[in-house]
Amino acid sequence: MSGTVGIIGNSDGDLPSLVTASGLRPIALQADQLAAATRTNAAMPDALLVDVRRDRSALSMIAAIKRRYPAMGIAIVAKSLDPDLMLESMRAGVSEAISEPLTAAAIQAAIGRVVVHQTVPVESRVYAVIGAKGGVGATTIAVNLAAALARVLNDALLVDLNFAAGDAAVFLGVEPRFTIAEALENTHRLDEAFLRSLVVRSRAGLDLLGSSPRIAPGSIDPARMRALLDFVTRYYHAVVLDVPRMDSQILDSLEQATHVLVVVNHELPTLRSAHRLVGTLKKKYGDRVGVVVNRSDQTAEIGLEDIEKTVGVKIRHVFPNDYRAAVAAINKGQPLAESTHGRLAESYTSFAAELTGLKPDAPAHDSGGGSGFFGLFGSKRS
């Protein structure tokens, strides 16, 4: 085992030699400096070892350190593992404890349990899916896109941010024990083991961080949301967010999104809403904002070209209309993207491949004829 271990509060001076004997490189640190906003990630050790045998005051700084560096594993060194100390440490974000007598083997084992190994390349992508209007099928697309990405990339995480009435668990046929509420309430103690305990694996091969009715729309802390997204991208090649369009706090917390996908259909009320929503999102996220058309109808009076001109951005993908197949998949709790048959199932797979760049772009859609409905909003094209 190799790596660096930051040591805090070791007045006896015995920990550096034990850490070295365990095959790790010790670095002496001060808790207040580590928690300071000016410190950069470049100087961060792989884990922290906090000596509380003589002085427990350093524990008051651990929560602040965890908030700044949620992926960092922290262990304490104590004379004995008394219940009060364990409870205080756990609340601060400590995930491992070592008691006397100290040995190099014990330190190596404890650090090995808290060190977080980043298993995902830095090209991890985040896809935010937002319905321009209720009932356009945004959750259907989010679930199936996540399932398709899981097939293409071998792993994916779906995060259901529809706190009041999230249905992603139903779509996947799972019953999460924990939800995003626990994740947001504990961003200071996030580590790989804690994350794995929060998510539930579906039969589709993707993980779900489910919605929670305990969180009221508009009540989340954007900083906690950003910290959570920053953390989960270290463990998944793809993260799909099912985003409620009416929650401004969440809409303002999507800096990590690689693509912000607004779901529309051929209906005029939806396009009116999409025109406003896309305009707002583009001011913050620029060219990352795109549109996908769900339940496309080639005979619709409002054509695809009209949609582009009305909304003001190019269409990224068009999903064909197969309502019966989509509903049947929902009722089974089995994403349609798992299937290899049918135009709609193939469309999800091709879009996932297009987004990840793992095969040539999907065929361009038929732009159809213009009907002039975009004139109601003005001709604006990105």
Side-chain angles (χ1 to χ4, degrees):
M1 181 178 178
S2 61
T4 58
V5 177
I7 299 176
I8 293 175
N10 183 218
S11 57
D12 292 341
D14 56 347
L15 291 182
S17 59
L18 289 169
V19 169
T20 300
S22 69
L24 299 160
R25 183 166 64 90
I27 303 174
L29 296 171
Q30 297 296 321
D32 54 350
Q33 294 176 349
L34 195 59
T38 56
R39 191 168 184 93
T40 63
N41 288 339
M44 293 303 299
D46 297 303
L48 282 184
L49 198 57
V50 183
D51 191 346
V52 297
R53 288 175 292 179
R54 292 193 178 186
D55 184 5
R56 296 187 183 183
S57 61
L59 282 177
S60 64
M61 304 293 296
I62 298 303
I65 294 172
K66 256 302 196 183
R67 282 193 294 270
R68 283 190 49 73
Y69 309 103
M72 176 172 290
I74 301 177
I76 62 168
V77 176
K79 285 185 175 295
S80 62
L81 305 183
D82 67 83
D84 289 341
L85 173 62
M86 293 298 96
L87 180 59
E88 183 182 358
S89 300
M90 183 178 64
R91 287 174 174 170
V94 173
S95 51
E96 193 69 30
I98 313 165
S99 61
E100 293 182 328
L102 301 179
T103 65
I107 289 176
Q108 182 184 51
I111 296 301
R113 287 191 290 268
V114 302
V115 169
V116 176
H117 299 283
Q118 294 189 7
T119 59
V120 180
V122 294
E123 288 83 8
S124 180
R125 301 172 174 92
V126 178
Y127 306 95
V129 180
I130 311 169
K133 192 174 181 293
V136 296
T139 296
T140 298
I141 289 180
V143 169
N144 283 282
L145 175 60
L149 288 167
R151 290 182 61 190
V152 172
L153 298 171
N154 296 321
D155 68 49
L157 172 69
L158 174 63
V159 182
D160 190 347
L161 298 174
N162 292 281
F163 301 132
D167 290 326
V170 177
F171 282 56
L172 291 171
V174 296
E175 295 184 7
R177 180 182 176 187
F178 299 107
T179 68
I180 192 171
E182 285 76 23
L184 291 174
E185 290 166 358
N186 295 277
T187 52
H188 64 284
R189 57 170 294 200
L190 279 173
D191 57 28
E192 183 177 9
F194 186 58
L195 173 63
R196 300 302 182 191
S197 71
L198 295 179
V199 302
V200 59
R201 173 58 62 92
S202 72
R203 290 174 295 178
L206 66 101
D207 287 349
L208 170 69
L209 186 54
S211 67
S212 172
R214 293 200 293 113
I215 303 179
S219 66
I220 70 156
D221 180 353
R224 288 179 178 267
M225 178 62 70
R226 295 184 187 101
L228 174 61
L229 294 181
D230 179 67
F231 184 80
V232 298
T233 54
R234 304 177 191 186
Y235 297 94
Y236 293 92
H237 290 79
V239 177
V240 178
L241 311 175
D242 188 4
V243 180
R245 72 187 187 283
M246 300 300 291
D247 197 319
S248 59
Q249 296 280 61
I250 297 178
L251 295 180
D252 287 339
S253 307
L254 302 177
E255 286 90 345
Q256 290 98 326
T258 312
H259 296 280
V260 180
L261 304 171
V262 178
V263 182
V264 303
N265 56 21
H266 293 269
E267 298 175 357
L268 183 58
T270 300
L271 299 183
R272 287 173 61 90
S273 178
H275 176 76
R276 294 188 295 267
L277 179 59
V278 168
T280 299
L281 293 171
K282 282 192 67 179
K283 290 178 182 178
K284 190 171 181 66
Y285 306 115
D287 293 339
R288 286 178 284 170
V289 180
V291 166
V292 295
V293 180
N294 196 27
R295 304 171 192 149
S296 182
D297 182 0
Q298 294 182 356
T299 66
E301 187 176 5
I302 301 176
L304 296 176
E305 182 177 308
D306 299 329
I307 293 175
E308 285 189 335
K309 292 180 179 180
T310 298
V311 178
V313 293
K314 289 187 177 297
I315 295 173
R316 289 300 311 269
H317 198 79
V318 177
F319 296 99
N321 187 15
D322 194 343
Y323 188 74
R324 288 186 177 181
V327 171
I330 294 170
N331 291 339
K332 293 178 182 178
Q334 181 177 358
L336 197 61
E338 286 188 83
S339 173
T340 57
H341 304 289
R343 292 174 56 240
L344 184 53
E346 292 173 356
S347 187
Y348 291 126
T349 301
S350 66
F351 187 42
E354 176 190 346
L355 288 172
T356 56
L358 296 182
K359 75 177 188 179
D361 290 346
H365 61 261
D366 178 9
S367 61
S371 65
F373 278 90
F374 61 86
L376 293 173
F377 311 97
S379 178
K380 183 176 71 172
R381 185 182 291 270
S382 61

